[in-house]
Amino acid sequence: ESKGQLLSINGKTEDDILQSLERALTIMKTALERKDLAFVLDGWALEIILKRSLESFTKLAMMSRTAICCRMTPLQKAQLVGILKSSGSLTLAIGDGGNDVRMIQEANVGVGISGREGLQAARAADYSIG
């Protein structure tokens, strides 16, 4: 079984981030097995991309089977779901705390996990699990 490849979208400057986005998009477009590719980005990179290169990011997100998004604000989580939803995808968001409520409500189907973080996510969701 082949090992997947993680495409990292990052950089020290805004231009570095945009270049790494374009590089990831090129790799994704030319890949024979897209299912083995995933991309990763953080909240700062997403902030830059949403301002300056939304179209390229949306293309990458729609081609990708897996995205790893870390250090996102509650608004950014909801924006990501909104981008996918506006592109025609059905979306499912799963969250466990108050910071996930916007994301859960933005999705077509929201699942809240009740537990350590309290009940805010579970109350805001279409479905709740323990």
Side-chain angles (χ1 to χ4, degrees):
E1 178 147 334
S2 68
K3 296 270 190 245
Q5 184 180 0
L6 193 58
L7 307 173
S8 188
I9 300 170
N10 60 18
K12 287 183 167 59
T13 67
E14 290 191 10
D15 287 338
D16 288 347
I17 289 169
L18 297 173
Q19 284 174 358
S20 73
L21 171 63
E22 291 305 322
R23 211 170 22 253
L25 189 55
T26 300
I27 292 168
M28 190 68 74
K29 283 179 179 173
T30 58
L32 296 173
E33 287 286 332
R34 284 189 189 152
K35 68 181 176 60
D36 294 335
L37 294 172
F39 70 89
V40 61
L41 80 162
D42 65 13
W44 187 69
L46 182 66
E47 186 180 330
I48 306 308
I49 288 165
L50 291 180
K51 275 194 298 195
R52 300 199 27 209
S53 197
L54 178 61
E55 193 175 323
S56 288
F57 178 75
T58 303
K59 284 180 191 166
L60 179 67
M62 295 305 293
M63 281 191 266
S64 301
R65 209 159 136 188
T66 305
I68 301 166
C69 305
C70 53
R71 304 216 180 277
M72 299 279 156
T73 66
L75 177 59
Q76 287 175 320
K77 292 176 186 184
Q79 286 173 315
L80 277 172
V81 171
I83 288 167
L84 295 172
K85 208 166 126 180
S86 68
S87 298
S89 292
L90 284 176
T91 57
L92 166 73
I94 302 170
D96 67 350
N99 63 333
D100 297 320
V101 168
R102 274 183 174 171
M103 172 186 69
I104 288 168
Q105 291 177 331
E106 179 66 29
N108 296 101
V109 179
V111 177
I113 301 170
S114 57
R116 281 198 191 131
E117 297 245 356
L119 295 173
Q120 284 179 300
R123 287 194 184 118
D126 300 304
Y127 300 94
S128 174
I129 57 177

